[in-house]
Amino acid sequence: MQRRKLLTAPATLSIASALPVIPAKQAGMESLQFGPNFNFGISTSAYQIEGAVHEGGRAPSIWDVFCHEPHHITDGDTADVACDHYHRMPEDIDLIAGAGIKNYRFSICWSRLFPTDDRTPNATGFGFYDLLIDRLLAKNIAPWMCLYHWDLPQRLQERGGWRNRDTSARLAEFSDQVSRHFGDRVSHWMVLNEAAVHSRFGHGVGVHAPGLTGMASWASALHHLNLGQGLTIQALRANGVKGRIGTVACVEPIWPSTDKPEDVAAAQRLDAMWNGAVLDPLLAGHYPELVAEYFEPFCQPGDLEQTHQPIDLLGVNYYSRLHIQADPSVPLDANFGPDHAPVKYTALGWPIEPDGLPEILMRITNTYNRQEIFISENGFATVQDGRPVNGLRDAGRIAYLQQHLSFLKKAIDQGANVSGYFVWTLLDDFEWDGGLKWRFGLVDVDYETQKRTPKDSYHWYAQLIKLNTAVTA
Ligand code: GCO
């Protein structure tokens, strides 16, 4: 996600390569003990790694169309091949197993499973995910399946996509069929990934697929995502799936850049839009007052009972705080503003703020009745052209992960009910509008040869998991 699309990067970046180098073999792991029931995992998504966009009967998604239009993606990259995971899936699962990771969150590609219409399954597509899940289970890795990570079939976009209320029912119908097929083997079901980003960036400001803009477009897309999520949770429960049911949201503390009243008010509005309008309909059955008016044209009587469903656990993607100032030239009069010094940045210009993690976890804990949470994404990108000069020696990434894990522990000590932590991500992958240049993986991918090479952080994470397992076994 390009969190800073609406502003220019800070003039002086103290980039994370300047973080203290922590030797992978020490790295202060002794303090990172999370107990016997804690789930360490790793996350990916279908569109970002699979490639093979024309194979196995797959039809285009909105992202295929968006990538092939000019000027959307850095360097004109596409995900046509990406990490070629579709052909290299066994090797990639072996990498997960090789690090001792016992939980894998992945997403499924809707237009691979139902390319032509909503009722005709594509046996080749189902076969691919059957093999994936069976291989995971054979390696004793729990499959955490995300049903929708932004790659809507283009055929549904042509009928209005998420601005069309019917797409909510289509998601539930898709999930119903998928859960009947995989319901005996999936350990955790995640309905959506980051409805805030998908609605705002894809349907509000147009920097993600399907490239739409405007407040009405954003609000209708988000409401229909929320509704589709509620209907899906009910469908999964009705099918009696074995796995636990949840969803994934990016939840970030939103701070005003200054204490000027207009900046404080702008931060409150953005918080209602970014965090509240995703969590409240699901966990409390309403929209936040500050933005409720935008949803009125789309929210029909009874909708908020449908969106308000009990979940077993909430995935929280955390990268940093958002620092916001008033800016009348953008929707909601709220734009990114200067950060609070002293803050370090990743190479993407995202602030490194591990102390924001307990802040947001305690807020969720206190607001939503101690909801069980897992960290579904947390990770660190470098930006790279060509082959890595020193990309495998990723001390900055190790430091980032370690700092976030220490603050996660603080949140647990303060009472947050957190049962897992998943790193974003296994492989360097296709990072949406950032293309192939942003490298988040624990494993380096040479896109010329598709050779995978574990970085230091991969070995560090393996060691952390081993240490936790050894102590708790
Ligand atoms: C998101 C998505 C991931 C991203 C990751 C890094 O948060 O945008 O869930 O698909 O790739 O967060 O940007």
Side-chain angles (χ1 to χ4, degrees), residues 47-48 53 62-83 207 382-386 428-439 447-448:
Y47 192 66
Q48 296 181 268
V53 294
I62 53 174
W63 271 95
D64 296 305
V65 173
F66 190 74
C67 288
H68 282 275
E69 290 167 0
H71 313 306
H72 288 318
I73 313 294
T74 306
D75 294 343
D77 285 341
T78 73
D80 289 0
V81 179
C83 308
V207 294
T382 53
V383 179
Q384 186 182 299
D385 271 318
D428 290 337
D429 65 354
F430 176 81
E431 281 291 336
W432 310 114
D433 52 328
L436 297 168
K437 226 176 178 166
W438 296 6
R439 290 180 170 257
Y447 291 113
E448 296 290 313

Side-chain angles (χ1 to χ4, degrees), residues 443-469:
V443 176
D444 172 79
V445 175
D446 179 343
Y447 291 113
E448 296 290 313
T449 62
Q450 290 293 343
K451 183 172 185 303
R452 276 82 162 125
T453 312
K455 304 176 190 177
D456 283 354
S457 55
Y458 171 92
H459 299 294
W460 176 86
Y461 197 43
Q463 195 187 347
L464 174 75
I465 292 170
K466 195 167 166 197
L467 193 71
N468 270 268
T469 317

Side-chain angles (χ1 to χ4, degrees), residues 1-3 44-45 48 105 149-150 193-194 197 208 248 250 317 319 348 350 377-379 381 424-425 429-432 438 440:
M1 163 205 334
Q2 173 55 290
R3 285 177 164 78
T44 64
S45 90
Q48 296 181 268
R105 170 182 164 239
H149 197 127
W150 303 355
N193 177 72
E194 296 192 350
V197 179
H208 280 183
V248 169
C250 62
N317 293 352
Y319 291 89
L348 301 183
W350 297 4
E377 286 182 24
N378 178 232
W424 184 266
T425 180
D429 65 354
F430 176 81
E431 281 291 336
W432 310 114
W438 296 6
F440 267 97

Side-chain angles (χ1 to χ4, degrees), residues 38 357-366 370-373 375 407-419:
F38 194 78
L357 186 55
E359 180 181 340
I360 204 68
L361 293 177
M362 290 319 294
R363 172 172 157 191
I364 296 169
T365 299
N366 294 330
R370 213 165 168 262
Q371 171 67 53
E372 182 178 334
I373 301 166
I375 306 303
F407 276 96
L408 175 60
K409 226 175 143 21
K410 288 190 186 156
I412 295 172
D413 292 344
Q414 286 167 35
N417 182 10
V418 184
S419 57

Side-chain angles (χ1 to χ4, degrees), residues 90 93-94 97-98 101-102 133-142:
I93 290 179
D94 291 353
I101 298 169
K102 294 288 179 223
I133 291 171
D134 289 345
R135 191 169 185 94
L136 290 172
L137 294 174
K139 303 256 168 195
N140 202 15
I141 300 166

